[in-house]
Amino acid sequence: MMKNQIIQELDHLQDVLFTLSDSIGHNPELGMREFQSAAKLTGLLSGYGFAVEMNICGYETAFKAVCDSGKPGPAIAFLAEYDALPEIGHGCGHNMIGVMAAGAGIGLSKVLADIGGCVIVLGTPAEETMGAKVAMARDGILAGIDAAILVHPHSKTHASGVSLAMDSLQFEFKGQPSHAASAPEKGINALDAVIQTFNAANALRQHVTSDVRIHGIITKGGVAANVVPDHAIAQFCVRARRRKALDEVVKKVKNCAQAAALATGAQLTISNYELSYEDMNTNQKLSEAFGSNLLAVGETNINPPSETFGSIDMGNVSYIVPAIHPYIGIGDETLVGHTAEMAAATFTPAAHQALLRAAKAMALTGYDLITKAGLLAEIKKEFCRV
């Protein structure tokens, strides 16, 4: 009966949710600048009785919205994203993610007075760059939370699976400028050091496991062709299925840069230009519970975890609290993430219905976690074995 109440509440709210998703989608904001998006989401939540705290972990656009029954029971968190991509807009569908989380929170809040516990909607900015979930996991924001759920739009619906741990490395080389024609022997070429780093990294790719990804760009390579470049910068993303394996690969990539510095005589500074993401540690019991509820609200097919994946800051959450990061198909299996086509697809009727199904399944899963002590115990038992 109470599950029907949750479903009916979200059916009643659906036009509000669709309008909000479209509004955020049509007004994309980059990470840590999502001021309008955060205001729209928190405005909706506060209107439904959530107590909202802003500026979490020093992120101005991060928020924690809580609806507490005042009775004992588990704390369930739905995580919201709402940052966009440069030039593309919401090519990863984060406009939908934020609204799904808010909708799920509101739906579950309607029955808390009867079942106890509390629901938390965490607004997590800048997933594409300096993911706030990393800081939240590090700084104890997840303390007391029993389970965390985030649902991501995709070309097809997939169960929660894996992601790659990632480090973002910056190699800054400083050399000695000189006239490239009349006095090349007096110069130290920082760009040569960058190029040698790429050459060595390319050779390294032959000798790593198939899950490893090494990819980079040159962000600074000199100012004029007839001047020996004295300052050059390369940025790399290095990824692997597990953190332990990634740490070993990162050492080797750093060795590539250090060898280039030694060969050219340039001075090398190594830093991280973005936060490090952990691999996704999907809780299978929680994933199964969500999948059952998703089928119950009309999803016709849930595919196994995708074999194509990148890196997400939800991975950091998943080592602090039992967590899942499933994908909801929005009606077009030809879609590719991080494209203008994906951004446009979030406005379609099919995407709206997918948003509604996901919000319902999230809320119903939260209900199960609060009311079924045995289920939550199994989830925590699985998590403790990690």
Side-chain angles (χ1 to χ4, degrees):
M1 184 66 70
M2 287 187 189
K3 281 195 168 185
N4 288 335
Q5 183 179 343
I6 291 171
I7 292 171
Q8 291 169 6
E9 179 63 33
L10 286 167
D11 282 336
H12 177 72
L13 192 63
Q14 63 178 298
D15 288 342
V16 172
L17 299 179
F18 301 161
T19 300
L20 180 53
S21 178
D22 289 354
S23 176
I24 294 173
H26 284 302
N27 298 278
E29 298 171 297
L30 299 182
M32 296 189 285
R33 297 187 226 163
E34 315 100 317
F35 296 106
Q36 293 182 41
S37 302
K40 291 171 183 176
L41 289 167
T42 55
L44 176 65
L45 289 162
S46 62
Y48 280 86
F50 282 72
V52 177
E53 179 184 357
M54 296 297 300
N55 198 28
I56 305 298
C57 296
Y59 289 75
E60 287 186 81
T61 54
F63 65 84
K64 182 178 182 180
V66 180
C67 183
D68 194 337
S69 69
K71 300 178 180 179
I76 310 304
F78 302 126
L79 276 62
E81 296 173 359
Y82 33 92
D83 62 317
L85 294 157
E87 299 184 10
I88 295 171
H90 277 286
C92 213
H94 292 187
N95 52 317
M96 293 179 61
I97 296 176
V99 174
M100 285 188 280
I106 293 168
L108 182 57
S109 74
K110 293 298 181 178
V111 299
L112 287 185
D114 296 308
I115 65 175
C118 75
V119 58
I120 301 165
V121 179
L122 282 178
T124 64
E127 189 276 334
E128 300 290 356
T129 52
M130 301 291 285
K133 298 184 199 67
V134 177
M136 290 180 177
R138 180 193 66 209
D139 295 345
I141 303 302
L142 306 176
I145 291 175
D146 292 280
I149 301 173
L150 183 151
V151 180
H152 198 298
H154 192 57
S155 57
K156 295 190 290 186
T157 298
H158 289 276
S160 183
V162 302
S163 69
L164 301 179
M166 180 184 74
D167 283 349
S168 299
L169 304 177
Q170 177 167 293
F171 300 124
E172 182 175 7
F173 295 92
K174 291 186 178 180
Q176 177 66 43
S178 184
H179 195 293
S182 65
E185 74 282 359
K186 294 181 179 178
I188 296 176
N189 196 317
L191 179 58
D192 278 348
V194 163
I195 292 171
Q196 290 303 318
T197 300
F198 272 86
N199 289 339
N202 286 338
L204 176 61
R205 287 193 183 95
Q206 301 177 56
H207 306 290
V208 295
T209 53
S210 60
D211 60 298
V212 172
R213 302 288 186 271
I214 305 169
H215 45 98
I217 60 170
I218 299 172
T219 61
K220 184 176 179 63
V223 294
N226 63 350
V227 178
V228 173
D230 68 324
H231 189 203
I233 299 174
Q235 292 182 338
F236 282 83
C237 290
V238 186
R239 311 177 197 243
R241 175 64 188 90
R242 294 289 188 186
R243 167 54 59 180
K244 183 177 180 180
L246 175 61
D247 289 343
E248 292 301 314
V249 176
V250 164
K251 289 179 185 177
K252 294 177 180 180
V253 175
K254 288 180 177 179
N255 286 342
C256 292
Q258 289 163 349
L262 181 63
T264 59
Q267 294 181 337
L268 169 64
T269 301
I270 302 176
S271 60
N272 295 94
Y273 67 92
E274 290 180 355
L275 296 174
S276 295
Y277 288 2
E278 301 302 320
D279 53 283
M280 183 65 199
N281 173 37
T282 285
N283 188 283
Q284 295 300 328
K285 290 290 184 181
L286 180 55
S287 181
E288 291 167 8
F290 174 80
S292 294
N293 282 304
L294 189 58
L295 291 171
V297 296
E299 189 69 27
T300 57
N301 183 44
I302 301 175
N303 294 285
S306 175
E307 295 182 1
T308 59
F309 38 79
S311 302
I312 52 177
D313 60 353
M314 192 68 174
N316 297 64
V317 172
S318 71
Y319 281 94
I320 304 298
V321 59
I324 56 171
H325 186 284
Y327 293 86
I328 187 78
I330 63 174
D332 185 348
E333 295 188 5
T334 69
L335 288 172
V336 176
H338 289 206
T339 62
E341 290 76 14
M342 182 69 178
T346 66
F347 304 120
T348 63
H352 288 165
Q353 291 304 312
L355 184 159
L356 185 62
R357 288 195 301 277
K360 289 177 179 178
M362 293 167 76
L364 296 178
T365 304
Y367 175 87
D368 288 341
L369 294 172
I370 293 173
T371 59
K372 298 179 180 179
L375 173 61
L376 188 57
E378 289 181 0
I379 287 168
K380 291 190 172 184
K381 183 179 180 181
E382 176 188 332
F383 182 74
C384 287
R385 289 201 298 268
V386 172

